[in-house]
Amino acid sequence: MMGDRTIRKTDQNGEYTEFGTTTFPQASEMRFGPNNTLFLVKVSNRILYTIGEEGGEVQEYATFPDYVDDERVKLTSFDFDINNNIFLAGSGGGAFVIRADTSVNSLGIYVGFSINSVRVFDGYVYFAGTQIIYRNKILDDQGTLETEELVLNLAETEEFSSHDIKSITFSSDGKIIIGTDPNNGNADPLLLMNINGQLETLYSNQLMAPAYHVLWGNESYIYINRPSGANHNKVAAIRAFGADRIRRSWATRSDPRGSAHLPP
């Protein structure tokens, strides 16, 4: 998403086409959903927007309550399950689900817990806070969730206790890729949590911090979005778990939080 409120669709060579326009300057997250519709959340807002598969102007899709348990709703991130339920959460108001009938439902969980990233994988919804990741099992096609399980607490690790989680994604075989702000000048921003729970860095000494958004993209590439100067950000495409080198990197003028979620 660009500073002039346009959205660009970028191919694997870094070439782009104009896809749509919005009524707001920043989106905290953009993802393609059912029917190739682009879904967007405005930064710290309570409205989910869409742009149809042919592009064009943004439309309001769903509106959320102002407050949940006296906490103002501020959405940040969302994802879809196999039944086209949309799970959402953010820095206030806890977690929500929009069901296939477009009804908005508060799940009554994570109120008072700031969430930076929401991802669905293998029948679970993962909610990542500043240093903690939880997951909830999806119980039915209505998006009912089981009680949360703790997945990771960075504060309890010795090597990565200074890292703040910005975004998470999954490899095709279930490894969790974690984009972070290390809060430590030379520390690596990209972490990998293996199936056995072991945590390690990815592409050591090759990436600059922070990694605001990470996305598992086409052909097993990881896409990483980070700021690279005033009103600019840089997207890097890296072959996942293969040759440890950046395949391509390109810069765009935009908000660093909302431009890495248009897969090529």
Side-chain angles (χ1 to χ4, degrees):
M1 184 170 176
M2 312 307 293
D4 61 358
R5 304 187 180 189
T6 61
I7 295 173
R8 294 178 177 179
K9 191 173 183 179
T10 307
D11 65 20
Q12 294 184 22
N13 296 316
E15 302 297 326
Y16 68 86
T17 56
E18 300 290 345
F19 180 75
T21 59
T22 72
T23 56
F24 46 88
Q26 297 178 355
S28 62
E29 191 153 279
M30 302 185 290
R31 297 181 69 81
F32 278 107
N35 303 315
N36 293 318
T37 298
L38 180 66
F39 288 75
L40 310 86
V41 170
K42 183 180 176 181
V43 173
S44 296
N45 197 260
R46 59 182 187 87
I47 301 175
L48 182 66
Y49 298 87
T50 59
I51 296 177
E53 64 176 327
E54 299 300 325
E57 295 183 1
V58 71
Q59 304 291 326
E60 290 189 12
Y61 181 80
T63 301
F64 296 76
D66 289 322
Y67 292 89
V68 173
D69 294 343
D70 298 323
E71 185 174 82
R72 182 175 288 277
V73 172
K74 296 180 180 180
L75 300 175
T76 300
S77 183
F78 63 94
D79 204 359
F80 308 88
D81 71 3
I82 60 173
N83 296 300
N84 291 335
N85 295 308
I86 310 173
F87 296 93
L88 311 92
S91 60
F96 292 85
V97 61
I98 302 177
R99 300 193 172 109
D101 62 3
T102 70
S103 62
V104 174
N105 304 271
S106 172
L107 293 169
I109 56 176
Y110 302 117
V111 179
F113 178 66
S114 183
I115 294 171
N116 296 325
S117 190
V118 178
R119 291 295 174 265
V120 174
F121 185 81
D122 196 24
Y124 286 84
V125 187
Y126 289 74
F127 298 92
T130 302
Q131 287 199 303
I132 295 178
I133 301 174
Y134 292 103
R135 73 175 187 175
N136 298 71
K137 186 176 182 179
I138 303 171
L139 298 178
D140 55 35
D141 61 3
Q142 295 299 300
T144 306
L145 299 183
E146 199 170 55
T147 304
E148 72 274 4
E149 306 172 28
L150 178 64
V151 176
L152 174 67
N153 186 349
L154 288 179
E156 295 180 351
T157 67
E158 181 176 350
E159 186 176 358
F160 306 112
S161 60
S162 69
H163 289 241
D164 289 342
I165 299 170
K166 296 299 181 182
S167 177
I168 64 172
T169 192
F170 285 84
S171 66
S172 57
D173 59 355
K175 298 181 179 73
I176 305 177
I177 301 162
I178 308 169
T180 75
D181 183 348
N183 296 305
N184 181 354
N186 296 319
D188 295 305
L190 200 62
L191 308 180
L192 177 73
M193 185 175 179
N194 291 288
I195 304 299
N196 62 6
Q198 180 183 0
L199 199 62
E200 60 184 274
T201 59
L202 270 179
Y203 310 106
S204 183
N205 299 318
Q206 296 190 56
L207 297 171
M208 295 181 66
Y212 266 110
H213 274 115
V214 291
L215 179 70
W216 184 265
N218 298 337
E219 300 179 1
S220 297
Y221 281 97
I222 302 170
Y223 292 83
I224 304 157
N225 191 12
R226 70 168 181 84
S228 63
N231 298 319
H232 288 75
N233 69 295
K234 182 170 286 188
V235 180
I238 302 175
R239 172 70 76 178
F241 318 129
D244 289 351
R245 64 183 181 85
I246 296 177
R247 174 181 178 270
R248 182 172 178 84
S249 164
W250 60 90
T252 57
R253 181 177 181 83
S254 63
D255 173 65
R257 292 166 293 185
S259 58
H261 288 74
L262 282 173

